[in-house]
Amino acid sequence: MDAQFLVSLGLIVVTFALYIGIAIYNKAKETSDFYVAGRGVPPVFNGMAIGADWMSAASFIGLAGTVMILGYDGLAYIMGWTGGYLLLTFLLAPQLRKYGRYTVPEFIGDRYRSNTARLIAAVATIIISFTYSVGQLSGSGVVIGRLLEVDTMIGTLIGVVLIAFYSAMGGMKGITWTQVAQYLVLIVAYLIPVIFMSMQLTQNPVPWLSYGEVISEMRSIDQELGISEYIVPFTEASKWQFMALMFTLMAGTAGLPHVIVRFYTVKTMKAARWSGAWALLFIGLLYLSAPAYAAFSRFILMTEVAGSSLGNLPAWTQPWVDTGKLSLADGNSDGVLQWTELAISNDIVVMATPEIANLGIFVIGLMAAGAMAAALSTAGGLMIAISAALSHDIYYRSINPNASEKKRLSVGRWSIVLATVVAGLIALNPPGAITQIVAWAFALASGSFFPALLLGVWWRRANGPGVIAGMITGLSVTLGYIFAAKYGGFTILGIIDTGAGVFGAAAAIIANITVSLLTAPPSKQTQDEVTDLRYPEQIQYKNGEYYKKDAQ
């Protein structure tokens, strides 16, 4: 047993105990606790919870590596994922909060006065959240497996047991406060190494300001080596693919059910807007640090690893070569490692940073705990979304409307346990790379939920048949394009499967508008309700008149 193992294990056990303690302390006692945390979460903490819910294992472990390998083209991920929160905060979240339902399918069913639409939305929620959670669970398996030196499968199962326990116990209320703790763990773990690297390379402790120097030094190295420059755009993909990917991630973010539900946990519309503002700040801390990570790691690899003789490489390279995440080939057998002979997996950039910068065993353990916090917090939020779709939208609203509070809670708890176990079993042998699975979930959300919610809030004339046509068309076009691009080599303007959401969203909006205009308009009451959503809480719109609500 080496010291590193004990420190990492200790940090992970302490943080796990903290999460379970918080969940037990905040146990859900009634259905509103279970689904929307009793609508009593302060905006700052809700912003942190949104941040943790949002920053998955893919963001924490993979994002900086993606930027390092793709250079400029990797920025589509950062802009898409943060831009989506602007769309959500301004166009959808406050309005959905004013409508006052528990879940996204419930809003769609009640706004469009259609049970069919609600069931389609519930099934879509389950499919999208499921796709996403498989990625999270297999990510947590990799981290636990590497730490405890057990098989990845056993690591995944440990994650499953933990998530099933605290999600089912605490419901949304327990998960919200657990996510606040997880956000703090993951952001501290993410920032410490990048701040120290910044100090080592530029003598400036503010990485966001200092990594520009490193990038300009890299430009000259790139030119010497004659490789495509790090900051030149569109070297990896076409300009259209960059835009399509960015749109898909933005619209997908604004349509992901587990993200939208977080805005239901606050008291008022104003609090929903502020939650979005705080969330952008907290998410920005991580997303603005990713390019700095990427630049520092690439610089160290270019100056300290490339150009060294193979017998004289830094000590940290060996363990990563053993895991297969880093491969060094001496192609021209001159005994010196060239930059072009290095092959790096993008998952290693963040996880290997503490070793690259020689930050000691405590920080390495902290990184492991941070990566676990990222995977668990997202998986918890996804499980609540799946459970709400099963127990609230399908069971309570369609099968048994007379169910007692106690019965609804137990159905909710069991559906979480069931969903976690099934997702865990699929995650033991996941289909395709984690990032690809995640990108597909976004494409599906931007083709189905985004158009339905956008038109539901901002176009009074949209009706039940329209939204059903829109969701089915959007899902079919998105899936069709993903398969055609991935397996049939078919692309439009060089847009590959990760940008499929553009076509899905366009098709869904056209279908929704066309069918709505060809069928009977919604009732006067529905149209008034939709207009009412656009005004602040204190004002109510009825029969073409505005009323000021009495102070509650």
Side-chain angles (χ1 to χ4, degrees), residues 56-291:
S56 57
S59 283
F60 187 90
I61 299 174
L63 187 70
T66 305
V67 174
M68 180 178 107
I69 289 167
L70 297 178
Y72 185 97
D73 295 355
L75 294 178
Y77 287 95
I78 291 182
M79 294 195 278
W81 277 335
T82 41
Y85 272 93
L86 286 172
L87 277 182
L88 197 54
T89 306
F90 291 116
L91 289 181
L92 298 173
Q95 290 79 3
L96 293 177
R97 173 63 196 88
K98 188 173 183 184
Y99 208 74
R101 299 296 187 268
Y102 279 168
T103 65
V104 175
E106 193 179 20
F107 168 81
I108 289 178
D110 292 355
R111 151 67 180 90
Y112 289 104
R113 300 282 192 272
S114 158
N115 277 331
T116 319
R118 190 181 70 249
L119 287 172
I120 294 174
V123 171
T125 299
I126 293 169
I127 294 171
I128 291 170
S129 304
F130 225 85
T131 313
Y132 203 168
S133 63
V134 168
Q136 297 311 310
L137 290 170
S138 58
S140 72
V142 171
V143 178
I144 298 181
R146 181 173 312 148
L147 249 170
L148 305 186
E149 291 162 17
V150 291
D151 192 40
T152 308
M153 290 195 173
I154 299 171
T156 306
L157 292 174
I158 295 175
V160 166
V161 171
L162 192 75
I163 292 164
F165 175 80
Y166 77 66
S167 313
M169 266 295 291
M172 185 53 118
K173 189 175 176 189
I175 279 189
T176 299
W177 294 104
T178 325
Q179 281 174 336
V180 170
Q182 285 163 334
Y183 174 77
L184 293 169
V185 170
L186 80 88
I187 203 69
V188 169
Y190 202 80
L191 292 181
I192 286 178
V194 77
I195 289 170
F196 275 97
M197 271 167 87
S198 179
M199 291 279 286
Q200 286 176 5
L201 292 174
T202 64
Q203 284 75 55
N204 178 343
V206 187
W208 310 285
L209 299 177
S210 68
Y211 78 99
E213 298 171 31
V214 173
I215 286 192
S216 52
E217 280 180 53
M218 274 199 292
R219 279 186 76 169
S220 52
I221 303 178
D222 283 344
Q223 284 159 356
E224 276 169 43
L225 294 174
I227 49 182
S228 81
E229 282 186 47
Y230 186 60
I231 48 173
V232 174
F234 316 127
T235 50
E236 304 289 326
S238 73
K239 196 176 292 186
W240 292 109
Q241 162 62 15
F242 186 88
M243 304 289 279
L245 175 60
M246 200 158 71
F247 172 83
T248 301
L249 298 176
M250 278 185 194
T253 302
L256 277 177
H258 77 281
V259 174
I260 295 174
V261 150
R262 288 244 52 102
F263 287 94
Y264 288 166
T265 59
V266 293
K267 280 198 170 68
T268 60
M269 280 176 91
K270 185 179 176 184
R273 281 203 183 87
W274 274 104
S275 297
W278 282 112
L280 263 173
L281 171 74
F282 294 135
I283 292 167
L285 274 177
L286 189 140
Y287 279 16
L288 292 174
S289 311

Side-chain angles (χ1 to χ4, degrees), residues 246-393:
M246 200 158 71
F247 172 83
T248 301
L249 298 176
M250 278 185 194
T253 302
L256 277 177
H258 77 281
V259 174
I260 295 174
V261 150
R262 288 244 52 102
F263 287 94
Y264 288 166
T265 59
V266 293
K267 280 198 170 68
T268 60
M269 280 176 91
K270 185 179 176 184
R273 281 203 183 87
W274 274 104
S275 297
W278 282 112
L280 263 173
L281 171 74
F282 294 135
I283 292 167
L285 274 177
L286 189 140
Y287 279 16
L288 292 174
S289 311
Y293 254 107
F296 293 151
S297 296
R298 188 172 186 268
F299 183 72
I300 289 180
L301 285 167
M302 284 188 118
T303 51
E304 291 178 20
V305 179
S308 317
S309 67
L310 282 171
N312 187 22
L313 291 172
W316 61 266
T317 50
Q318 199 46 53
W320 288 98
V321 172
D322 297 343
T323 59
K325 295 280 184 189
L326 177 69
S327 61
L328 317 166
D330 186 16
N332 54 7
S333 31
D334 57 358
V336 175
L337 189 64
Q338 312 296 337
W339 171 246
T340 45
E341 295 170 344
L342 267 174
I344 311 152
S345 149
N346 57 7
D347 294 349
I348 149 179
V349 173
V350 170
M351 295 309 283
T353 294
E355 296 161 59
I356 297 177
N358 205 0
L359 297 178
I361 56 178
F362 180 74
V363 177
I364 298 175
L366 191 62
M367 284 305 265
M372 277 314 301
L376 294 174
S377 57
T378 304
L382 290 162
M383 291 306 148
I384 286 281
I386 295 175
S387 147
L390 286 168
S391 60
H392 186 75
D393 299 319

Side-chain angles (χ1 to χ4, degrees), residues 77 245 248-249 434-444 497-498:
Y77 287 95
L245 175 60
T248 301
L249 298 176
I434 297 180
T435 37
Q436 200 143 40
I437 297 175
V438 170
W440 293 352
F442 280 95
L444 291 173
D497 55 305
T498 47

